[in-house]
Amino acid sequence: MANVTDLQTKYSKLAQEYSKLRAQNQVLKKAVVDEQASSASLKEQLKQRDQSLRKQEQEMDSLSFRNQQLAKRVELLQEELAASEAKGKKGKTKGDSPSQHGQQTQSVFDEDLQKKIEENERLHIQFYEADEQHKRQEAELRAQLDELEKDSEQHQAVVDGLTTKYMATIERLQSDKARLEVKAQTLEREAKECRMRTDECQQQLRQCQSELNKQVKQSSSVIQEKVPFNDTKFSDYNSLNVPPHNRRHQLKARDVAGQALSFIQDLIAALLNFHSYTEQRVHIYPRDSSIEPISPLNQKFSQYLHENAAYVRPLEDSFLQLHQSITEDTVTVLETVVKLKSFADNFCSYTHFLQKILPYQLKSLEEECEASLCTAALTVKNQELQTDMKRVTSVFEKLQNYINLLALPSVQQDAMPLSSTSAVFTQLAACLHSLHDAIKEMSKHYNQKAGLEKELPTITQKLSTTTECLLGSLGSLTSSTGKIATFFSNNLDFFTSSGYSPRGSTVTLNPLQAETMLANKKKAAAYIHAIKKPRPQSVPHREALSNRRILTSSTESREGLTQQVQQSQEKIARLEQEKEHWLLEAQLGKVRLEKENQRIGDLEAQLAAALGGSPNSQPAATSTLAQSHEEAEAEPKAAVKETTLCTSLVGMLCTTPTIEHVNEESREQLIKTHYMTRVGELTTQLQISDSKSVHFHSECRALAKRLAIAEKSRETLSEEVKMANQNITRLQDELTTTKRSYEDQLSMMSDHLCSMNETLTKQREEIDTLKLGNKGNAKKNKGR
């Protein structure tokens, strides 16, 4: 008991530690979720930065294109200037016209220069702002990276601590498991010994039962041979009140059962196809499982639909067994068709399956209505299909009730009179017709819905083929239900008619009368086959009654003999106990006799030594002989008073034998009570050990499950930490790549700006030179 308390305290401590670790695990999970959210926000920020960079690159491309256009324009202006200079040299006679033209070109150049200077200033401002923004973003991202690295280090330390704690707890649990296994092995050994003893007792019981069965068979054979009937009592079970065997009714029942089996096989095939194609449609519409995951409700619905064969196939098997049980040599009425109960149970399980999947069907149709591409006409058709499914499920529930009522007489006699059975059959026929109408309406609405779905733009080939297969299964389902309804209504007269009934009464046939009828049929067949053989003489009625009296007296004498056998067995057990007791007494007597013989031999040796010695030693020898005689006389007296120990496998028994006052019956009673108490103690110890082993086994299983759950959670946490580390490294890589790209783009922009500045300075110098040249030319023209 101390070990058990220690183990319980250890297990309570382990449970407390496990609860603490579980709370820490939840905190870690929350931290990991927060880190995932922060990493997602960082990803979004990176995407925004990439978009801004792309916009800036586009602006740079547009600016470069604008600069190229301006450079081309400057070149064109230079070419026009050169052309104007050539014209000025050629046309000296025109006077002031070149000077006016040079002023116009000079004003154009000034405007272009002013525009270029403003664009250059604007580009410098944009570049400076972009550089500062990039530096700020880089500093923020580096700070976030440092925080994430610190958090990941802390999480790694916590995970390492948890792994060490888990390893220590695992080692302790393994040691406890080893100790419990050793205890369980010892308890199993004790249990095996007890089982061996129980097996021996069971063998003895079997022997007694076999003997009693032999006696019962002998008495039953005597009853069957000597008393073939009793026409004074139980007139309902009299062989004269048994109806004759109707072979035509049996052949008709066989034929009807075969036709019903074929129709039910068609119905079951149609139901299997309907459920399987419905499962395929759930995986395709409104969401395609190959592209995106379907909703949890549809997942549960598809899981239930995948189990349809476990509910539909037993219907076919049970009805096949019912068909096989109907033969020419049987009696086919509701009271004897036992296989109808199994079919009713299987039909009940299938209706429960329909009730289970009905809310999922309705929710699935509602989900289709909530889709973005669902039109108003489709929602109306889905609502009509919901009502049809409810109606079909209710009709199946009614069929279940009627089939259970028909299967009730085979389980409980006189459960339903003949008039009520005919009413049940008529209601069942009407219910089958209503089932056919409901499935027909559902197939019509499905056809209309399929036509509306084909008009949708997003319909796929897979969905269209699945819908066609579903419509085909509904068509076969309507045809099979229609066949079953017409078949049942055509054979309704056969179902309501009573093929068998006792003579002179309108009561239905019970199984005992059916057995008697079949026995009479077999006797008649045997009598016809053995007409040529000599027939046994019939027993007269008075002789049968006298034989019955003799048999009743023999049964009474048999009861007396069984009581005598029990008494004799008890006497045999008592005698065996006495035999064992006297065998122990004989062994004790042998031991005492050997001791006496040894003592007599010692005394004879002493006497011989004394006779062979000095004459003075004779009185000593005589005194020793006297003492030895006194001891020999005292030893039996002491032996009478000393206690004898009897040890055996059952236990230890202490007995104090006496010579005259020992009562044999009291002694046997003491031995019997001792053995009974010892057996009771052993059984209590065995029960305690069994309960302890069961308790330890359940605790070990619970601890193993907890360990498995803890290991799974540890593995999930380690995987999440690995994923977080991978995300951090990926973000770092992306940061470095974005840094490099930004730096490259900035260097490219700076180089481009430098080249633009150089081209602008060159253009300014060229403009200045052109201005100077124009001024010189103007002065020359004026001087001329």
Side-chain angles (χ1 to χ4, degrees):
M1 293 297 288
N3 292 324
V4 174
T5 55
D6 293 335
L7 286 171
Q8 288 177 355
T9 54
K10 287 180 182 178
Y11 290 146
S12 62
K13 288 178 182 178
L14 286 171
Q16 291 175 359
E17 290 178 359
Y18 179 72
S19 62
K20 290 178 183 177
L21 293 172
R22 195 171 181 181
Q24 293 176 0
N25 190 6
Q26 290 178 357
V27 173
L28 286 171
K29 281 183 179 178
K30 288 180 181 177
V32 171
V33 170
D34 294 335
E35 285 182 359
Q36 287 177 355
S38 62
S39 65
S41 64
L42 286 171
K43 284 181 183 178
E44 289 178 356
Q45 289 178 4
L46 283 171
K47 286 179 182 178
Q48 291 175 0
R49 299 292 165 76
D50 289 334
Q51 289 176 0
S52 63
L53 276 172
R54 286 170 187 167
K55 287 179 182 178
Q56 289 176 2
E57 285 176 358
Q58 289 176 0
E59 289 178 358
M60 287 295 295
D61 293 334
S62 64
L63 287 171
S64 62
F65 181 73
R66 181 65 177 164
N67 286 328
Q68 288 175 4
Q69 285 180 349
L70 290 170
K72 288 179 181 179
R73 191 173 180 184
V74 168
E75 288 176 358
L76 289 170
L77 288 170
Q78 286 176 358
E79 288 174 0
E80 287 176 0
L81 190 98
S84 65
E85 284 178 356
K87 286 179 183 179
K89 288 178 183 179
K90 289 179 181 179
K92 294 178 181 179
T93 59
K94 290 183 179 181
D96 295 332
S97 60
S99 63
Q100 291 176 359
H101 185 70
Q103 287 177 0
Q104 289 177 359
T105 56
Q106 186 66 33
S107 65
V108 170
F109 284 137
D110 291 334
E111 288 177 0
D112 290 334
L113 282 170
Q114 188 66 33
K115 288 179 181 179
K116 287 178 181 179
I117 288 162
E118 289 176 357
E119 286 179 358
N120 196 2
E121 287 178 356
R122 187 168 55 79
L123 288 170
H124 275 291
I125 291 163
Q126 288 180 358
F127 176 71
Y128 180 71
E129 289 177 354
D131 193 8
E132 286 185 350
Q133 190 177 2
H134 174 68
K135 286 179 181 178
R136 285 198 300 272
Q137 290 176 357
E138 188 176 357
E140 289 176 358
L141 289 171
R142 281 180 179 172
Q144 288 178 1
L145 270 174
D146 293 332
E147 290 178 358
L148 288 170
E149 286 177 354
K150 289 178 183 178
D151 292 335
S152 65
E153 288 176 357
Q154 290 177 0
H155 291 316
Q156 189 64 34
V158 171
V159 168
D160 293 333
L162 288 172
T163 51
T164 53
K165 285 183 182 179
Y166 281 134
M167 291 300 290
T169 52
I170 286 164
E171 288 177 357
R172 275 184 281 170
L173 288 170
Q174 284 178 354
S175 62
D176 294 335
K177 184 182 177 182
R179 276 183 284 163
L180 290 171
E181 284 178 354
V182 172
K183 287 183 180 179
Q185 287 177 359
T186 55
L187 291 171
E188 283 178 358
R189 289 173 187 170
E190 292 178 358
K192 284 180 181 178
E193 291 177 357
C194 294
R195 283 170 190 164
M196 292 289 287
R197 292 173 189 170
T198 52
D199 290 334
E200 291 177 357
C201 296
Q202 285 177 359
Q203 286 179 0
Q204 292 178 0
L205 280 171
R206 286 169 187 167
Q207 289 176 359
C208 294
Q209 285 178 356
S210 63
E211 291 176 357
L212 290 172
N213 288 326
K214 287 179 182 177
Q215 292 176 3
V216 168
K217 286 180 181 178
Q218 288 176 359
S219 61
S220 62
S221 64
V222 168
I223 289 166
Q224 289 176 0
E225 290 175 358
K226 302 296 181 182
V227 186
F229 63 90
N230 185 6
D231 57 348
T232 60
K233 203 173 184 181
F234 302 113
S235 61
D236 290 334
Y237 301 145
N238 196 355
S239 62
L240 298 174
N241 199 21
V242 174
H245 188 267
N246 193 351
R247 186 169 176 273
R248 291 180 181 177
H249 179 79
Q250 288 301 119
L251 292 173
K252 179 69 175 176
R254 178 76 176 173
D255 187 13
V256 168
Q259 292 177 10
L261 178 63
S262 65
F263 293 143
I264 284 172
Q265 285 175 351
D266 295 337
L267 177 65
I268 285 164
L271 286 171
L272 287 170
N273 292 328
F274 176 68
H275 291 310
S276 60
Y277 291 133
T278 306
E279 181 185 0
Q280 291 179 10
R281 181 181 168 82
V282 165
H283 282 285
I284 296 168
Y285 188 77
R287 295 179 185 175
D288 196 351
S289 61
S290 61
I291 298 169
E292 60 179 345
I294 61 176
S295 63
L297 187 137
N298 281 333
Q299 287 179 0
K300 196 74 175 175
F301 183 36
S302 66
Q303 184 181 358
Y304 285 148
L305 286 172
H306 191 67
E307 298 171 356
N308 61 355
Y311 297 97
V312 179
R313 290 291 182 192
L315 290 172
E316 183 179 0
D317 297 333
S318 58
F319 201 85
L320 182 62
Q321 291 176 2
L322 176 63
H323 175 256
Q324 290 175 355
S325 65
I326 298 170
T327 58
E328 292 183 20
D329 298 327
T330 57
V331 178
T332 305
V333 289
L334 289 176
E335 288 79 10
T336 59
V337 181
V338 183
K339 299 294 182 179
L340 186 60
K341 180 64 178 172
S342 63
F343 178 75
D345 293 335
N346 292 324
F347 196 85
C348 182
S349 65
Y350 178 67
T351 52
H352 288 315
F353 170 73
L354 289 178
Q355 291 171 0
K356 183 169 66 173
I357 65 171
L358 179 62
Y360 293 98
Q361 286 177 340
L362 302 179
K363 292 289 184 182
S364 178
L365 290 171
E366 288 177 2
E367 188 175 350
E368 288 182 8
C369 293
E370 290 173 1
S372 60
L373 296 173
C374 186
T375 60
L378 274 175
T379 54
V380 170
K381 293 302 171 188
N382 286 328
Q383 290 172 1
E384 288 175 354
L385 282 172
Q386 286 178 351
T387 56
D388 292 334
M389 287 173 181
K390 289 178 184 177
R391 184 183 172 190
V392 168
T393 307
S394 65
V395 171
F396 267 103
E397 289 175 2
K398 289 180 182 178
L399 284 172
Q400 173 199 344
N401 294 326
Y402 291 136
I403 291 169
N404 285 328
L405 285 172
L406 291 175
L408 190 61
S410 62
V411 180
Q412 185 179 358
Q413 292 184 8
D414 298 330
M416 193 164 50
L418 187 63
S419 60
S420 60
T421 56
S422 62
V424 169
F425 275 117
T426 53
Q427 292 293 327
L428 183 61
C431 192
L432 286 170
H433 282 289
S434 62
L435 177 65
H436 172 62
D437 295 334
I439 291 172
K440 191 175 179 181
E441 285 291 323
M442 188 168 70
S443 66
K444 183 177 75 174
H445 292 151
Y446 250 113
N447 280 314
Q448 293 173 359
K449 181 185 175 183
L452 292 171
E453 283 179 353
K454 285 180 182 178
E455 295 175 1
L456 294 174
T458 58
I459 194 76
T460 59
Q461 185 65 31
K462 188 169 26 174
L463 180 60
S464 63
T465 54
T466 305
T467 306
E468 288 175 359
C469 293
L470 188 61
L471 292 173
S473 64
L474 279 170
S476 61
L477 195 61
T478 52
S479 65
S480 60
T481 51
K483 288 177 182 177
I484 289 170
T486 53
F487 161 76
F488 202 88
S489 59
N490 291 330
N491 293 307
L492 188 60
D493 295 330
F494 171 75
F495 290 131
T496 55
S497 65
S498 61
Y500 297 96
S501 61
R503 294 176 182 176
S505 65
T506 58
V507 183
T508 58
L509 189 71
N510 55 23
L512 186 60
Q513 289 175 347
E515 290 178 1
T516 310
M517 183 199 303
L518 293 174
N520 289 335
K521 180 179 179 295
K522 289 178 182 178
K523 286 180 181 179
Y527 181 77
I528 289 168
H529 286 296
I531 288 173
K532 295 181 180 180
K533 294 180 181 179
R535 289 176 290 175
Q537 294 180 358
S538 61
V539 179
H541 183 64
R542 292 179 181 177
E543 188 176 352
L545 291 174
S546 63
N547 288 332
R548 181 175 175 79
R549 293 192 194 94
I550 292 164
L551 193 110
T552 52
S553 63
S554 65
T555 52
E556 290 175 357
S557 63
R558 183 170 63 83
E559 290 176 356
L561 287 171
T562 52
Q563 289 178 0
Q564 289 178 5
V565 168
Q566 288 177 358
Q567 291 175 1
S568 63
Q569 285 178 353
E570 290 176 357
K571 285 181 181 179
I572 287 164
R574 282 202 301 264
L575 289 171
E576 284 179 353
Q577 290 177 359
E578 289 178 359
K579 180 182 176 183
E580 290 178 355
H581 169 67
W582 290 116
L583 285 171
L584 291 170
E585 291 282 341
Q587 287 178 358
L588 290 170
K590 284 181 182 179
V591 172
R592 288 174 190 164
L593 195 136
E594 288 177 356
K595 286 182 180 179
E596 288 292 330
N597 289 328
Q598 288 178 359
R599 191 176 288 112
I600 289 165
D602 293 335
L603 289 172
E604 286 178 354
Q606 290 177 5
L607 199 145
L611 289 173
S614 62
N616 294 323
S617 60
Q618 287 182 358
T622 55
S623 64
T624 54
L625 283 169
Q627 289 176 0
S628 64
H629 281 294
E630 288 175 358
E631 289 175 356
E633 289 175 357
E635 278 183 358
K637 294 177 181 180
V640 170
K641 294 180 181 180
E642 66 184 359
T643 59
T644 60
L645 294 173
C646 176
T647 59
S648 65
L649 291 171
V650 180
M652 185 182 289
L653 178 66
C654 296
T655 58
T656 57
T658 57
I659 295 171
E660 295 176 355
H661 300 286
V662 175
N663 192 359
E664 291 181 357
E665 292 181 358
S666 62
R667 190 170 182 179
E668 288 173 1
Q669 191 68 27
L670 286 171
I671 292 166
K672 186 176 179 181
T673 54
H674 171 72
Y675 281 116
M676 291 298 289
T677 53
R678 187 62 180 164
V679 168
E681 289 175 359
L682 288 170
T683 51
T684 52
Q685 289 177 3
L686 181 63
Q687 290 174 357
I688 291 164
S689 61
D690 287 334
S691 63
K692 285 180 180 178
S693 62
V694 169
H695 177 66
F696 289 146
H697 182 64
S698 62
E699 285 186 352
C700 288
R701 287 181 67 184
L703 288 170
K705 287 180 180 177
R706 288 178 183 174
L707 267 174
I709 293 164
E711 287 177 354
K712 287 180 181 178
S713 61
R714 183 171 62 80
E715 288 176 357
T716 53
L717 284 171
S718 62
E719 288 177 358
E720 288 175 357
V721 169
K722 285 180 182 178
M723 290 293 289
N725 291 325
Q726 288 176 3
N727 289 327
I728 289 164
T729 52
R730 186 169 54 78
L731 288 170
Q732 287 177 354
D733 294 334
E734 288 179 357
L735 243 175
T736 52
T737 53
T738 50
K739 271 186 188 178
R740 288 174 185 172
S741 63
Y742 282 145
E743 288 173 356
D744 294 335
Q745 289 173 4
L746 286 170
S747 62
M748 291 283 287
M749 286 173 71
S750 60
D751 294 335
H752 187 65
L753 285 171
C754 290
S755 63
M756 289 292 289
N757 288 325
E758 288 176 357
T759 53
L760 284 171
T761 52
K762 286 179 182 178
Q763 287 175 2
R764 283 174 185 174
E765 288 174 356
E766 288 175 357
I767 289 164
D768 291 334
T769 54
L770 289 169
K771 282 180 181 181
L772 292 171
N774 287 325
K775 286 178 181 180
N777 291 324
K779 287 178 181 180
K780 286 177 182 180
N781 290 325
K782 285 178 181 180
R784 288 177 184 176

